[in-house]
Amino acid sequence: MEEEKENCAVPEKKGGRRSPRRLLRGLLFLAVCAAVVAVLVYSPLFTLQRVIVNGNQYLSREEVMEIARIHMGQPLFQLQTDAVTRNLTRDLRIESASVRRQMPDTVEIDMTERIPVATAACDYGYVDLDRQGKVIAGYRTLKRMPIPLITGVVLHDLYIGDDNTDETVGSVLIFLQKINPEALNRISEIHIGNPEEIVAYTTDSVQIRLGNMERLDEKAKLTQDFLEDLEHAKYPVEYVDFRYTAPFIRLKNMPQAVARH
């Protein structure tokens, strides 16, 4: 019986102290990983040297970088793409944005802008309005923009994020958004001093007499067709009149208006 008891002795527990050699290897591995991370984060090879912006039409690359709060030379791996995206979409001029890193030194930004339809004078300078009449930008001096300037009115107490309340300006914005961007770029000004005698001017100083803002769809279609045809016109045009149901064109140095067909 004593022999059987000796044979049934409880086995020793496994997993005593770890080998110092294994512990040293683990620490060495962690140190190597930390060194690699440090090289990736702080190496001059992985610093921001190029910013590619896609989809910007009105904002410059420098303005986009300022809004995004990124700058050349910052470590690429310290740049948090989700934070940069938030910075961009907080700006009222930007509808959406996505940001990604490209090794070893590039950030690419895809964005969609809120499109300004017209510029108008305000108390402190000028504001850009989108198609809903929201102020998406404001500045003290007039900038060169490929959108019409609404003249004959000064908007009061309007700041970035505010909505236009002027009825005539609102009608003009609806009219402008019905014209495609290519044709719209040929309109330099719309004068609304008299709401019953609104006149648009092309970049070549040709008058487009619109009258009031009734028959908006019809007048927008006529205006777009005229602007597209104007580039190929054989004779210089003085003005086109869309105030009546039978529009007509007056050529320069001609004694009578010529009916539009």
Side-chain angles (χ1 to χ4, degrees):
M1 294 294 291
E2 290 180 1
E3 291 181 2
E4 289 181 3
K5 288 181 180 180
E6 289 179 2
N7 291 335
C8 294
V10 178
E12 293 183 4
K13 283 187 178 181
K14 293 183 179 180
R17 290 185 178 180
R18 289 189 177 181
S19 166
R21 183 175 297 177
R22 292 182 63 186
L23 184 60
L24 183 60
R25 285 178 181 173
L27 293 174
L28 183 60
F29 175 76
L30 292 176
V32 170
C33 290
V36 170
V37 170
V39 168
L40 290 176
V41 171
Y42 297 105
S43 170
L45 180 64
F46 297 100
T47 58
L48 183 60
Q49 301 297 327
R50 288 200 313 149
V51 176
I52 300 171
V53 181
N54 304 313
N56 60 316
Q57 183 177 354
Y58 299 100
L59 292 169
S60 68
R61 185 177 70 103
E62 290 71 23
E63 287 175 317
V64 173
M65 289 177 62
E66 183 178 352
I67 296 167
R69 299 179 189 173
I70 59 177
H71 57 272
M72 296 298 187
Q74 73 180 99
L76 194 65
F77 287 96
Q78 286 187 354
L79 188 149
Q80 302 296 319
T81 56
D82 55 346
V84 174
T85 301
R86 284 196 300 271
N87 292 339
L88 289 167
T89 52
R90 282 174 184 156
D91 192 287
L92 197 61
R93 294 167 291 181
I94 299 174
E95 186 173 310
S96 63
S98 63
V99 181
R100 57 184 175 274
R101 290 185 288 254
Q102 292 184 2
M103 298 300 124
D105 59 2
T106 301
V107 164
E108 185 168 6
I109 298 172
D110 293 323
M111 57 180 286
T112 301
E113 291 177 308
R114 294 185 187 275
I115 303 300
V117 173
T119 299
C122 66
D123 296 319
Y124 56 85
Y126 298 89
V127 291
D128 289 341
L129 302 162
D130 73 358
R131 59 185 181 179
Q132 283 86 26
K134 186 175 290 294
V135 178
I136 59 176
Y139 34 88
R140 296 191 178 280
T141 57
L142 189 62
K143 299 194 299 184
R144 291 181 62 86
M145 297 282 283
I147 54 175
L149 173 66
I150 299 175
T151 60
V153 66
V154 175
L155 303 178
H156 300 290
D157 298 322
L158 274 188
Y159 300 90
I160 293 176
D162 291 343
D163 295 310
N164 164 67
T165 57
D166 186 286
E167 185 176 344
T168 305
V169 171
S171 296
V172 168
L173 294 175
I174 294 172
F175 167 78
L176 292 175
Q177 68 178 284
K178 294 178 180 293
I179 301 172
N180 67 40
E182 292 77 14
L184 188 62
N185 289 345
R186 300 205 64 180
I187 299 178
S188 62
E189 177 187 344
I190 295 188
H191 185 74
I192 63 170
N194 181 351
E196 294 297 316
E197 295 294 339
I198 295 173
V199 180
Y201 296 88
T202 73
T203 53
D204 299 321
S205 301
V206 177
Q207 287 187 19
I208 303 174
R209 299 181 180 181
L210 297 167
N212 57 39
M213 285 286 95
E214 295 177 358
R215 299 165 33 234
L216 266 177
D217 289 344
E218 177 188 345
K219 290 178 180 177
K221 180 65 168 61
L222 289 169
T223 299
Q224 178 169 305
D225 291 345
F226 171 71
L227 291 169
E228 291 174 349
D229 294 342
L230 187 61
E231 187 176 357
H232 308 289
K234 295 181 179 180
Y235 304 101
V237 177
E238 183 177 342
Y239 68 82
V240 61
D241 198 326
F242 295 147
R243 292 176 295 176
Y244 312 106
T245 53
F248 62 89
I249 295 174
R250 182 177 179 86
L251 303 179
K252 289 183 178 179
N253 303 319
M254 294 290 289
Q256 295 181 351
V258 178
R260 178 181 172 86
H261 299 287

